[in-house]
Every structure is written in C-alpha cells, then in structure tokens.
Amino acid sequence: MDIALGEARTAGTAGEVPVGCVIVCGSAVAARAGNRTLADADPTAHAELLAIRQAAAALGSERLTECDLYVTIEPCAMCAAAIAFARIRRLYYGAADPKGGAVENGVRFFSSPTCHHRPEIYGGMAEAEAAALLKDFFKERR
C-alpha cells in the first residue's frame, strides 16, 4: 500500500485527484499508476485502469488471476468492473468512498448476481493516510 500511496501523492502534486494503485503478482510489482484523467484528457484514466492495462501488457495476458490490486480509495463502478474482468485475485483498498465507491458503497458491484468474478476484498488499509490525502487535496481547491 505504501507504493500506492506514493503514486497517489505524485498524482496529487500533478493536480490530479490523488489516487494511486499498484498490482502485485507473487512478490513482484507488475504495475503502478496514479490518476491521469487530466494529463491524458481521458475520463477512464483512473489509477486502477492504468495499472491493470500495464500489468496485462507486462504479463502478456488479460487474466491477472495470480495478482493482487492495492488502491488508495474504494474503486468506482468502472474500476470494479475492470477488476472483475481482469480476474484480480485480491482487492485491497484504503479509504471508503461513500459518494463514488462501488464495492462497499453505491452499487456494490461485486455483490451483484450478474458479477462473474469476485475478488477477495480487504478495505481500510492505510485508511487514515489515504483519506487525508484526498481531504487535503480538495480542501486546497475549495
């Protein structure tokens, strides 16, 4: 999670919403990314999607069945769907997102009967630090 927090800090410094993600396969980091929606002019350039694309390219497979994804905030519906499609083994996230999250909040994507893959889910990892990054970022902009 420390790597994901570092990616979030880097994204925040660049003016992006400070969200970071890392994908670990075995004991190796397969991918890492921070949000780049502004830099890429792409609303889908969330940290999770960027890291999933990177890991799939690095491993030469769209199936990341032996990989774990760490992200600083509860994934949105788009990212939760990508996690399911990639067949991520475990999802670890930091801060809950009551407004935009789709794991424990909102649509609860992985609880849907139509969800074809459900990773093991562990929330609240480095929650205070992840939440503080977001709160400080938005506080500066208000």
Side-chain angles (χ1 to χ4, degrees):
M1 187 59 87
D2 287 338
I3 295 170
L5 287 165
E7 291 293 326
R9 282 187 212 94
T10 300
T13 300
E16 302 279 359
V17 175
V19 176
C21 180
V22 63
I23 296 178
V24 177
C25 301
S27 60
V29 172
R32 58 197 297 163
N35 272 3
R36 285 200 325 251
T37 58
L38 298 174
D40 293 0
D42 179 358
T44 70
H46 288 198
E48 300 96 308
L49 288 178
L50 296 171
I52 288 170
R53 290 175 189 148
Q54 235 181 74
L59 299 172
S61 175
E62 79 283 9
R63 301 281 191 244
L64 305 177
T65 58
E66 299 301 315
C67 299
D68 301 332
L69 187 147
Y70 295 79
V71 64
T72 56
I73 192 168
E74 177 182 356
C76 69
M78 174 179 67
C79 293
I83 289 165
F85 285 126
R87 307 289 200 282
I88 297 288
R89 178 177 56 184
R90 292 184 195 103
L91 164 63
Y92 298 91
Y93 69 88
D97 186 358
K99 197 170 182 180
V103 177
E104 302 290 331
N105 292 286
V107 300
R108 298 177 189 230
F109 185 86
F110 299 116
S111 297
S112 169
T114 59
C115 180
H116 62 279
H117 172 76
R118 294 168 182 85
E120 292 176 33
I121 300 167
Y122 304 92
M125 295 202 54
E127 183 175 16
E129 189 173 354
L133 281 173
L134 290 160
K135 285 178 188 168
D136 292 346
F137 177 83
F138 287 112
K139 187 179 190 182
E140 290 175 14
R141 276 146 184 78
R142 291 188 178 126

